[in-house]
Amino acid sequence: EGRRGGSGAPETGGGDDDDDSESSEEEEEWDMETYDMQKLVTDEDDKKYLDSMTELERENILAERFEKLKQEADMKKALRENKRREREQKKAAGAQKKKTKKR
């Protein structure tokens, strides 16, 4: 059992974000112990290729694929969070401008 564990599931960022419906399907369990490794096998040829390896080689390749997918998901999450923050800042700036115009 020499697998590296992930940091768990990506956090869900509650709120009324426009991206919530899109992000909910992307936010899945990112723990290598519980992740369905069959999702990392691309097709029948890939399965045969992996089956031809030793267990250690196969586990290393699957771990690399898992980490790559996790990094991509983390990057998408960070980009969505950044967009959400920018929208909130624009909204706050717009509200601030309205307050100063009333004076």
Side-chain angles (χ1 to χ4, degrees):
E1 278 189 272
R3 293 182 186 174
R4 290 183 292 164
S7 61
E11 293 178 16
T12 55
D16 56 1
D17 197 355
D18 294 339
D19 297 329
D20 278 350
S21 60
E22 169 194 319
S23 63
S24 62
E25 75 182 37
E26 291 174 13
E27 304 227 5
E28 51 188 286
E29 186 77 16
W30 287 109
D31 182 352
M32 197 161 176
E33 296 296 322
T34 57
Y35 189 80
D36 180 9
M37 295 307 225
Q38 292 305 310
K39 292 180 181 179
L40 301 175
V41 180
T42 57
D43 58 23
E44 195 60 37
D45 288 337
D46 189 40
K47 182 176 175 8
K48 288 176 185 173
Y49 168 69
L50 291 168
D51 286 342
S52 72
M53 300 177 164
T54 66
E55 183 178 1
L56 183 60
E57 290 171 324
R58 181 171 47 251
E59 289 293 321
N60 282 333
I61 287 179
L62 292 175
E64 288 172 10
R65 291 178 183 182
F66 175 82
E67 286 300 319
K68 183 179 178 187
L69 285 176
K70 184 177 183 302
Q71 287 173 355
E72 289 172 1
D74 288 347
M75 181 62 72
K76 286 179 184 177
K77 180 184 174 210
L79 290 170
R80 281 193 312 270
E81 181 65 21
N82 199 23
K83 268 182 167 176
R84 184 188 62 77
R85 254 191 239 118
E86 286 176 1
R87 282 195 306 263
E88 287 177 358
Q89 287 173 347
K90 285 180 183 177
K91 209 182 279 186
Q96 189 64 32
K97 282 183 182 178
K98 285 181 182 178
K99 284 183 181 178
T100 56
K101 283 185 178 180
K102 287 183 180 180
R103 292 182 181 181

